[in-house]
Amino acid sequence: MKISYNWLKQFIKIDWTPKQTAELLTDLGLEVEGVESFTSIPGGLEGVVVGTVLECTQHPNADRLKLTKVDIGQGEPLQIVCGAPNVAKGQKVPVATIGTILYGKEGKPLEIKKGKIRGEESHGMICAEDELGLGESHDGIMVLDHALAPGALVSELFEVENDHVFEIGLTPNRADAMSHWGVARDLRAGLIQKEIQKELITPSTSNFHVDNRTLKIDVAVENSDLAPRYCGITIGGLKVAESPTWLQNRLKSIGLSPINNIVDVTNYILHDLGQPLHAFDARKINGDKVIVKTVPSGTKFKTLDGIERTLHEEDLMICNGEKPMCIAGVFGGLDSGVTESTTSIFLESAYFNPISIRKTAKRHGLNTDASFRFERGIDPNITEYALKCAVILLEEVAGGQVTSDIVDIYPKKIGDHQVFLHFDNATKLIGKEIPKETIKEILMSLEIKINNVTEAGIGMTIPAYRNDVTREADVIEELLRVYGYNHVEASEKLNASIALTEKVEDHKIQNRVGHQLTALGFHEMLNNSLTHQEFCTLSDSLNPSHSVKILNPLSKDLEVLRQSMLFGGLGSLAFNLNRKNKNLKLFEFGNTYHQFPKGREEHKHLSLLLSGNKLEDSWNVSSEATSFFYLKGILLSILDGLGIDDLEEKGAENTIFSEGISLKGSQGVLVSFGVVSKKILKHFDIDVEVLYADFDWDVVLKSIPTENFKIRPIPKYPKVKRDFALLLDDSITFESLKNAALQTEKNLLKEVSLFDVYMGKNLPTGKKSYALSFTLQDEHKTLTDKQIDKIMSKLQERFEKDFGAKLRERSRQGFTKLGQRPMAQQCQQLIEQFSK
């Protein structure tokens, strides 16, 4: 929000530097993010002086150029080449000297340099009004008053206003400070704390009067909940023209472009007092009646920007006797606004329901200065006052007469807030005891009325325009920001208590897993918890009736809280795929939200998404796509790192997967993962395979062992590896073979792995070949061949009995002893195999 310092001084007379004022405003909670200089005429006419044309002759080398000698009161006259048709000897003209920078009407800087034009030197420039930023005309040079002395500064002849503009980062709760008046109120309170007494000067309305009652517009408000207060008045005999220079300068300083005197006054009052106004051409109000109401859904309405919009049944409209004229508090209509031919207006000043205005503005994608203020809540008690101020200003800049009484429909007055402040609570929250007299002084400087004072505290009435101050804590915050955060000293004594924490700390576990995933090439994403209700229909596992709905959604796409982490992740994935990022590994920690019959629930999750290749393409790395088992390996490594084992596999009961499984632990399902259904991918325009894993993080945290870990030394004795090549039925899984092996030999068998799978030629129908590797180790002694053979025989018997397995020809002896052969013998065997 931009605040003009000169404008601010209309409310409070202050001679501080802009830097001092900016520091105080920031201390008061109105953070000044920057201070910019403003000049009403770009460049401030610096370097432009009055010159007398001494000679004016035809340029020897150009028919349309003149060669002039100009006295600028600084020694020898300057030779200047000029192309203006009206330049003549004896004129007093504005001269831009060498080094001057002109901005002109387009604002582009032009530095005046010494140069040659068609062979003749030129030492400056005789200027037209548009080149100086003083007007639009370029028909010829400006001719000044003949009485002016050569060398006089042109900047002193015109109204050049210099100003400083504060850029304030206004927080959403400070609706009271959305105007120069509101900022001045805070500034005055801050000055009082510095023992500088300043009066707050407000515009007077004593000159307001009704001239006649010849143009009456009836007003009807059909829904007072949406429009609690509505005021209006008619003004006739107006002349639409340019605004006076001072008014244009005020608007330009805060970044607004002047339009005409009528519209400029409404914009001025909005930024002056914080009250939005709207002017209707009275001739276009059919039936001489204004009706504030909603219209049927689907009604078409064309706004000032020329766009035809489809209205919603909850949109509040300002209508005449036949049709809508304006979207209340948001945007005007194309057919009811002020034009050059307007001579009479109906001027509106109202207080609209903030929630209604916000919904309408978001629904139509509109963000105007008026809606910005209405949706945050303006002062309902200055509606008539602001209207009178606007009328007086209109009479000053556009002429005219007041042709009706003010219509003020205010059926239920919006009251002030009653709050009681306890001194003990203030001391406790602030961390310092503020003297009671200082508290009273601060409250009164903020226009808060003190009703009573007791030993315990203060009873007070908060004005209605402070809609962010409704509780005792809010009052304490107001006290602290005006008193000054810098005045609350840090205590020399530090009190701390030892808090009992759980052994499993969620944030630490998340950091550990996050680091593990980033080391594997993953990138963390953060998606919006708000999503589209439509996503719940993409999977039978989700129920739309279980969605937590937002009462005031920003848009249709953000109307419910997510039930699944998948859809936000797919949106991020699609965004990257569309930008040629094909090899993706993404993860996200977040929550899902559910509205079950027994109540609302919130669950923590960790989601993973993979697509494309495992690694980026490189000359020394072969491309290999991510796969179901690659994802499974990552998930097992995460769970293993957390000390979670004893897992049970089962099919994933979730239709988001075309194929998937779940890993279940002692506390429930830890993670479900698989290939995302093509139906869901199609909705996001994704045409590549996507792997997805969803950890139930609450179950993971419960499953992490909390007992103390035992540290054991690395065994001194070697491991021994043996392998089987088994012929099995297609239906038998590796997991079942592994579990059977570990049950058969619980002490010495440390690991079972699958290092080869073969299906196809030379195998019977319905069969497959698994090559299993077994790792054996005794931590107390070296294993003997006899022990190893006995274990392997037991395993062979178990596989044959439980699974009908058969050893393939390559292992006729039942098992090999490669792991125990001397290294030299192993190398020799490999050399012989390669030589064959």
Side-chain angles (χ1 to χ4, degrees), residues 75 167 221 224 250 303 360 486 523 549 594 641 646 813 817:
E167 182 68 47
V221 177
S224 59
R250 286 286 179 265
T303 47
T360 297
N486 296 333
H523 291 86
K549 297 181 179 179
H594 311 269
D646 193 19
Q813 298 178 2
K817 301 181 183 180

Side-chain angles (χ1 to χ4, degrees), residues 126-145:
I126 303 175
C127 303
E129 66 176 40
D130 67 329
E131 293 165 335
L132 296 174
L134 294 172
E136 299 292 326
S137 175
H138 193 70
D139 295 335
I141 60 169
M142 288 187 72
V143 180
L144 304 175
D145 187 345

Side-chain angles (χ1 to χ4, degrees), residues 647-676:
L647 303 174
E648 176 188 345
E649 284 188 17
K650 65 174 187 175
E653 299 176 359
N654 199 323
T655 56
I656 65 172
F657 300 117
S658 57
E659 50 183 307
I661 61 175
S662 297
L663 297 179
K664 185 179 180 182
S666 59
Q667 300 294 326
V669 175
L670 294 159
V671 58
S672 298
F673 63 98
V675 180
V676 179

Side-chain angles (χ1 to χ4, degrees), residues 360-434:
T360 297
K362 297 300 180 184
R363 195 179 291 125
H364 294 289
L366 294 170
N367 182 22
T368 61
D369 284 338
S371 68
F372 179 80
R373 285 157 177 79
F374 277 128
E375 66 188 32
R376 284 161 175 77
I378 62 171
D379 185 355
N381 296 321
I382 67 163
T383 308
E384 183 182 13
Y385 170 70
L387 189 63
K388 289 180 178 179
C389 290
V391 169
I392 293 170
L393 189 53
L394 279 171
E395 288 178 322
E396 176 187 334
V397 303
Q401 296 180 328
V402 177
T403 54
S404 75
D405 292 313
I406 292 178
V407 176
D408 186 2
I409 301 176
Y410 197 11
K412 184 178 180 182
K413 185 176 180 180
I414 297 173
D416 298 333
H417 318 298
Q418 303 297 321
V419 178
F420 189 85
L421 170 68
H422 295 83
F423 294 130
D424 290 345
N425 289 341
T427 302
K428 181 179 178 182
L429 286 178
I430 293 174
K432 178 181 180 178
E433 184 176 357
I434 299 177

Side-chain angles (χ1 to χ4, degrees), residues 1 25-31 168-179 181-187 189 372-373 376-378 446 465-469 474 477-478 481-482 485:
M1 182 182 71
L25 289 174
T26 299
D27 289 342
L28 289 166
L30 301 178
E31 183 183 1
I168 295 180
L170 193 67
T171 53
N173 64 306
R174 291 303 307 278
D176 63 296
M178 293 187 296
S179 65
W181 185 18
V183 173
R185 280 190 299 236
D186 262 21
L187 183 59
F372 179 80
R373 285 157 177 79
R376 284 161 175 77
I378 62 171
L446 292 171
Y465 68 81
R466 290 309 307 270
N467 54 32
D468 62 319
V469 182
D474 300 329
E477 182 183 358
E478 290 296 294
R481 73 178 182 84
V482 176
Y485 292 94

